[in-house]
């Protein structure tokens, strides 16, 4: 079970799901504060996709990898990696809760993007091409 705990929270959501992830260490922006050490914000419309995502997680041998971005959890290797363990995450909510991650649902990710940039916080914005467009978010509901 120890290996499963190493899987980063960013990888416990469906691949195409846009999200903003940040560490709350030294964050002074009101929108970003939390008692949790790590927070992930996801748009409301993605909630049904998270309920029964059925994600297969592959834990790789770390030999040959170098850290590219600690906040996003991006590691790179120029050689083939060996799969050490594979397991199924049936419930993203449970997997994130087990790791102490606060999961927030929001109509738009753009206020979080603006807040983490303004706060100079350590953050990652993943798959934003799949997020609601900023123009639509600023326009509000019809």
């Amino acid at each position: 079970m120890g290996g499963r705990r190493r899987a980063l929270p960013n990888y416990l959501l469906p691949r195409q799901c846009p999200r903003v992830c940040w560490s709350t260490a030294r964050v002074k922006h009101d929108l970003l504060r939390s008692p949790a050490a790590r927070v992930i914000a996801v748009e409301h419309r993605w909630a049904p996709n998270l309920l029964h995502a059925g994600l297969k997680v592959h834990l790789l041998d770390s030999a040959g990898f170098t850290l590219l971005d600690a906040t996003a959890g991006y590691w790179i290797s120029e050689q083939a990696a060996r799969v050490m363990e594979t397991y199924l995450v049936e419930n993203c909510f449970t997997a994130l809760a087990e790791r102490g991650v606060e999961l927030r649902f929001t109509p738009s990710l753009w206020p979080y993007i603006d807040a983490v940039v303004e706060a100079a916080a350590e953050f990652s914005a993943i798959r934003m091409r799949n997020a609601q467009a900023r123009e639509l978010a600023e326009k509000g509901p019809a």
Side-chain angles (χ1 to χ4, degrees):
M1 187 69 176
R4 292 182 188 198
R5 300 293 299 167
R6 290 190 312 255
L8 292 171
N10 297 354
Y11 299 115
L12 297 173
L13 296 169
R15 179 173 173 80
Q16 296 305 317
C17 177
R19 55 213 180 249
V20 179
C21 314
W22 67 93
S23 166
T24 58
R26 300 180 304 274
V27 170
K28 297 190 180 352
H29 193 289
D30 287 342
L31 183 63
L32 305 177
R33 288 194 179 119
S34 168
R38 183 168 296 275
V39 181
I40 298 176
V42 175
E43 291 177 339
H44 289 149
R45 66 189 182 96
W46 282 87
N49 300 77
L50 304 185
L51 199 51
H52 302 289
L55 301 173
K56 188 176 273 189
V57 176
H58 295 81
L59 296 175
L60 307 176
D61 182 355
S62 61
F65 280 86
T66 56
L67 183 61
L68 179 66
D69 183 327
T71 303
Y74 294 151
W75 292 78
I76 58 171
S77 176
E78 294 184 17
Q79 55 191 337
R82 186 168 59 97
V83 176
M84 303 294 291
E85 180 182 354
T86 302
Y87 65 95
L88 184 65
V89 172
E90 293 183 32
N91 186 314
C92 297
F93 300 115
T94 301
L96 292 167
E98 287 173 350
R99 288 160 179 81
V101 175
E102 179 179 320
L103 181 61
R104 296 183 185 181
F105 287 95
T106 180
S108 170
L109 293 174
W110 293 105
Y112 288 97
I113 294 285
D114 295 340
V116 292
V117 169
E118 179 185 322
E122 294 180 3
F123 79 98
S124 173
I126 301 170
R127 306 287 187 257
M128 289 301 290
R129 69 179 176 270
N130 298 332
Q132 176 178 263
R134 183 183 283 270
E135 300 78 34
L136 293 175
E138 290 171 350
K139 188 176 176 181

